[in-house]
Structure formats: structure tokens, C-alpha cells
Amino acid sequence: MTDILMIHFQMSRNNGGDVEEVMYPTKKKGVAYVTFEDQEVVERVLKKEEHRLQDKRFSGYYPLKVTRYCENVFISVTSVLNMSVFKDQFVLEDLVQELQKKSTALSFGPLQSNGHISVQGSFPAIKLLRDLLLLKAKSLLEKDQREESQSHQRPRRRLQQHRFNTETSNFVGDADGEKHVVVLDTDIFHYMKSFFPRTFLVSDDVKISDVAGGDITMVYIEKAGGRSGAEQVLRVKKKIENQSIKLHNVLRKERIRFEKHSRDEKRRYKQVCESLKTLYPCVLVIPYDTHIDLIGNSSEVFAFTKELSKKIQSL
């Protein structure tokens, strides 16, 4: 299987290139790790819509799910959208298909008869979808207002518009108050604090505070004084959100679990992790009593994990 996978990912028809190593089998059933010599090949392979594993020893072909190394295990949320607000303006099935194409990082459930649909993904991806719907709703409202001012509408049309306006009034409203909150995955928050501290640097007009609640951290941004405080608050909020989105797209997390490890073994793991920090300065190591979390980009987390395993075995 290792040879078959290597051949598959080296073939040009699969957008492949030189493969440095294939790890199979692994701790995860049905999962192989493929290391390429060139980062550009990685990007090409990921862009291919469908990978089919074929070999003369197979009776058919097998579809491969190809993702970056290690699953993105940062917390995700599920949001239920009420799409019925758009049903007088769009064919809901077509609208959902449009959203799916524009929000590939999200997982959509089936559209229900009442217009509800569940969407799962990261906080930043959910927010981007929300912003997209807000813009669409706002443009429809403005269009209706223009049409109403230009001509008299039939009662049925006026009733539909009133219903649409009523249902979207709260949905479209995005408070421009002086205090805002950004919900972040706690691991993303720690990474930002460690490697992008300037994200949280603010002027005297703005105050930032945070409250960690386990898997999520609430970052509060509020006006501290000065006439430009409200504008500064919005700028800081946008800066934190943009940085969070970038990190969600590139970071991965690997968890080293302590299940039957003795106290000395746990201590040894933590010591080795500390010693590897200088070799992998962009990997964040977060030790806990029950496990260690390694957070960084795919290649560095992969290399860190391999080096950690080698050193532990040698000890």
C-alpha cells in the first residue's frame, strides 16, 4: 500500500510530484501521511477535486480523502440558519448551493421544509457566512425600498415586503456600539498571544480584556476614552478577527495523550518538548496533566511529532 500511494502521488495526472516519504499504516485506521519534497506540489495535490486510488491488483478504484497533515481539531460550532426569510426572493435550494460554493470550509446539513438548515464549522467561517447573508439581505431591502418609492405596489407584494423587512430587521442590524466581543478558539487565542502579540496592542482609547471558558475565549474590546475610541474599537475587532481567520486556515493541532504513562514518563515528554522548542520556534507547546498540545503549521507539527517520538524512544 505504501508503494501504491507513493506512485499515486508522484503521477502528474494527480497533480503530484516527488514524494519524500509515505507513512502507512498509522495510529489512525485508514490514514496515511505523505510528505512531499516541494511545498508547491502539496498545494497542487490539494487542489485536485477528486483522487482515485487505482492499481492493477485492485478490482476497481478507491476514492481518497486528501487533506493537510493532521485533522483540524480546533473547536467548531453548529449554527441553525433560518433561510425562510429569503423564500419570497430566492429559490432556497439555489441559494444554499451558492452558499456552499462560497463557504467551502463549512459543512451544510439538509435544507428542512421550514427553511432551516444546520451549518458546522469554525467561528471565523461561520462569521464570514453571516456577513455574506447580511449583505444579501441588506441589498434586497434597499432594492425593495427603491421599488416602493418608484411605484405603487399590489397588496400582496406590499405584504411580502413587510414580512421580509420585519424578519430581517434584527438580522441585518449590526450594533455599532462602543463595546464588542470576539469569540475565539482558546488554542488560537493562545497562539495569537504567543506569536502575534501586536494583534492585541491598542492605544489609550481602547481597552481589551479576555475571559477563557474552556474551549472558547471571549475577547472584549471597548472604548476607554477619546473621541476616536469607537472607530479604534472597530479597527481592533477587525484586526483580531482577520488574524484568527488566517490562523484557522493554516494551523493544525496534534495531541500527545498521557493514558497509562507514569509521572516520570510525563515529565520526560515535557522535558523533550521544551528542548525541541528552539528547533521549532513556531510550534506552540501547551502542557497539561493529561496531555500535551502541539499547535503550528502542518509541516512543523509533523516534524516536531516525529522528532519527539524518536527522542522518547532513544531515552
Side-chain angles (χ1 to χ4, degrees):
M1 182 56 69
T2 301
D3 292 338
I4 292 172
L5 287 168
M6 181 170 288
I7 292 170
H8 173 89
F9 287 109
Q10 285 180 333
M11 296 179 73
S12 57
R13 72 180 186 190
N14 296 320
N15 294 353
D18 292 336
V19 174
E20 183 179 303
E21 182 184 20
V22 175
M23 291 179 61
Y24 185 85
T26 62
K27 292 180 181 179
K28 296 181 181 179
K29 185 178 180 181
V31 174
Y33 298 135
V34 182
T35 306
F36 294 92
E37 293 184 6
D38 192 340
Q39 181 65 30
E40 291 182 1
V41 178
V42 175
E43 303 304 326
R44 289 206 310 264
V45 167
L46 290 170
K47 285 180 181 178
K48 183 174 173 61
E49 291 186 1
E50 184 181 23
H51 282 269
R52 295 183 173 188
L53 192 63
Q54 295 175 297
D55 188 86
K56 61 183 180 182
R57 287 162 285 188
F58 296 160
S59 57
Y61 71 86
Y62 296 90
L64 292 178
K65 178 185 177 183
V66 181
T67 62
R68 293 186 188 276
Y69 166 68
C70 79
E71 293 294 330
N72 186 346
V73 293
F74 296 118
I75 189 171
S76 65
V77 293
T78 299
S79 178
V80 178
L81 303 180
N82 181 8
M83 303 297 291
S84 64
V85 67
F86 293 104
K87 71 179 182 181
D88 293 330
Q89 314 290 329
F90 295 101
V91 177
L92 293 187
E93 289 78 7
D94 294 342
L95 178 57
V96 169
Q97 286 186 4
E98 178 189 340
L99 296 176
Q100 287 175 322
K101 290 179 180 178
K102 292 183 177 180
S103 307
T104 55
L106 294 173
S107 175
F108 288 77
L111 180 65
Q112 304 297 322
S113 58
N114 60 0
H116 289 195
I117 186 171
S118 64
V119 184
Q120 187 177 43
S122 68
F123 289 115
I126 290 286
K127 185 185 180 302
L128 285 176
L129 176 63
R130 169 184 172 274
D131 292 344
L132 179 64
L133 288 171
L134 285 173
L135 287 174
K136 192 172 289 292
K138 185 178 179 181
S139 65
L140 288 173
L141 286 175
E142 292 173 348
K143 178 183 176 183
D144 281 343
Q145 289 168 359
R146 286 196 302 270
E147 290 178 355
E148 186 177 19
S149 64
Q150 292 172 0
S151 63
H152 294 289
Q153 298 175 327
R154 290 179 298 176
R156 175 176 170 78
R157 171 63 178 160
R158 191 177 297 116
L159 179 64
Q160 288 178 344
Q161 179 183 327
H162 173 73
R163 176 174 170 272
F164 184 76
N165 288 357
T166 301
E167 291 184 350
T168 56
S169 60
N170 291 330
F171 180 69
V172 175
D174 194 7
D176 291 327
E178 297 177 352
K179 185 173 183 179
H180 293 261
V181 60
V182 180
V183 183
L184 299 176
D185 180 282
T186 296
D187 291 320
I188 292 287
F189 173 73
H190 287 319
Y191 197 92
M192 290 172 68
K193 291 279 282 188
S194 297
F195 296 104
F196 299 92
R198 294 179 62 86
T199 306
F200 299 97
L201 286 179
V202 294
S203 66
D204 294 336
D205 293 335
V206 178
K207 183 174 70 173
I208 289 184
S209 58
D210 58 83
V211 178
D215 290 333
I216 64 171
T217 295
M218 314 285 282
V219 178
Y220 294 93
I221 310 139
E222 57 188 308
K223 182 178 176 181
R227 293 183 179 180
S228 62
E231 296 178 1
Q232 290 285 349
V233 165
L234 290 174
R235 277 199 287 268
V236 171
K237 178 176 181 283
K238 193 68 177 176
K239 182 170 66 171
I240 294 174
E241 288 176 338
N242 289 343
Q243 187 63 62
S244 173
I245 291 169
K246 289 179 183 178
L247 293 177
H248 264 280
N249 291 335
V250 301
L251 293 182
R252 295 296 183 268
K253 179 168 71 175
E254 186 77 2
R255 177 161 289 179
I256 311 297
R257 298 183 183 276
F258 299 141
E259 294 172 349
K260 297 181 180 179
H261 294 77
S262 67
R263 184 179 298 178
D264 286 341
E265 287 173 328
K266 292 179 183 179
R267 179 174 50 80
R268 197 174 299 128
Y269 266 95
K270 291 177 181 179
Q271 287 176 343
V272 173
C273 282
E274 284 295 321
S275 69
L276 290 175
K277 281 184 178 181
T278 54
L279 294 176
Y280 304 96
C282 292
V283 174
L284 178 63
V285 179
I286 307 178
Y288 297 94
D289 290 337
T290 56
H291 62 274
I292 295 175
D293 284 339
L294 307 175
I295 303 169
N297 68 51
S298 296
S299 58
E300 291 208 343
V301 169
F302 177 69
F304 191 110
T305 306
K306 281 185 67 176
E307 192 65 28
L308 173 64
S309 179
K310 287 180 182 178
K311 286 185 175 293
I312 289 295
Q313 287 179 8
S314 66
L315 292 173

